[in-house]
Amino acid sequence: VKRFKNISSSVMSVMPDRVVDLLHDIGRMGDEQGFKCYLVGGVVRDILLRKNNEDIDIVVEGSAPAFAKKFAAKHNARVAVHAKFKTAVVIFPDGFRVDFATSRTEYYNFPASAPTVEDASIRNDLFRRDFSINAMAVKLNNSEFGTLLDFFGGQRDISDRKIRVLHSLSFVDDPSRALRAIRFAVRFDFSIGPHTDRLFKHAVSLNLFDRVIGPRMFLELKYILNEKNYTKALDMMKKYDMIRFFSKKVQMDDRKTALFEGLELILDWYSFQFEDEFELYVSRFIVLFWELDREDIGDLLDRFQLDDGKTKELLNNYIETKDVVNAVSRRNVNRPSYFTQFMDRLSTPCAVAASAVLGEQFEPYVKDYFTDYRFVKADIDGNDLKEAGVKPLMIYSKILSSLKNEKIDGKCLGRDAQMKRALVLAKELVKNG
Ligand code: ATP
């Protein structure tokens, strides 16, 4: 039977040796303790797609926490147990992680009429998952290492390039799966299977998404916005009339398309120039919800029910970006230092979003800002001012930032010129109180 194909050669060719060794070791430990162990979920899908994925999820038909503790001790790794969910994560000294979960149902709870009683427990665990492509497992116990368990047509759907739920109530059980369906469809360039598509539309028409808890809505949106082809995902969300579950005021129109195009150009340019990494979703989130006002964005963030710190951070990102865009576009920016002073108020993802909204007209400023202006410092520092006897200390930061601005505007370059200018500025500042 196709379902029992052995894919150990794919496992070995796709995964790094170190991970393959760990998987063998998990299988051996399973044998010793009399537990069956499986590699499950997204990583199995990715092995079949020949993509490396280092999110290792293991299911143990026994106690995952007990198993994980032994595994961690053997490898000098840390373990964090989530007793309530019978899960555990093992974290190696270099940060590499392996997640362990206890098979959701023991086989004796499963009706004896199951196709193969022996695999009933893992089958039942897999049946609770979202899509056929994510509901496969690989046996790790040594005698059967590499045996692929595919009860729901995952291999077929990978070759047909289809996202398919496992049963008709899947979106009712968990409507957030609809967002996941879009995410995987876009990531792999798969389509949504016809039956799944009907169930999806039905879920939308029943407004089931209003029932999804806030943090889950946020997380799934964040994952979507972190995907490379997220604009395709947004198009699908629009097609399924799902954007309204986030906000009824979002306009997915030509202007928004153009904004996203501009944003991606800047993001590409930025990542080509600089090494620093930041979460792409933040820039994309701001642009997606650009037309919302303060109250609307407040409502949206309330809906997400994130912790206060995260809510504040997102709200500030959003509001500051808007303020900067308003300020810059209202004023006639004819000096780079003006532009710099405003942009300096923003974190990188926000500055990038602001640049996208400001548009082509500001492109030269934007590029100079990122490559140059944001790093500019005055040629003299506080010690120089002190040595020159400038008083009081209170005015130092004002002097230095004026010098920085003049330097950005190409005036007053070099230490000597700046020192002279500093003394003039100091006099003026003191005179004006
Ligand atoms: P990624 O490659 O983005 O990490 P993944 O497939 O590993 O994707 P996760 O969100 O890490 O996705 O979930 C791991 C596995 O857990 C999935 O492959 C799927 O089998 C299962 N899963 C996750 N979320 C759900 C859900 N809402 N309903 C059912 N099963 C889920």
Side-chain angles (χ1 to χ4, degrees), residues 42 45 55 128-130 134 174 177 180 183 187:
R45 169 201 72 211
D55 287 339
R128 291 160 183 258
R129 291 171 186 260
D130 47 6
N134 288 343
D174 179 357
R177 289 174 184 164
R180 297 174 59 83
R183 167 155 61 100
R187 183 189 304 169

Side-chain angles (χ1 to χ4, degrees), residues 21 23 30 36 48 56 72 86 104 156 161 170 200-201 227 238 282 335 407 413 427 431:
D21 289 347
L23 295 177
K36 288 187 186 168
L48 296 174
I56 308 297
K86 296 186 192 154
R104 296 262 211 116
R156 180 198 60 212
R161 310 175 73 82
S170 188
F200 195 137
K201 287 174 178 152
E227 286 288 328
K238 182 181 175 185
V282 177
R335 271 183 295 162
K407 186 172 168 187
L413 303 172
K427 250 189 213 156
K431 200 173 82 190

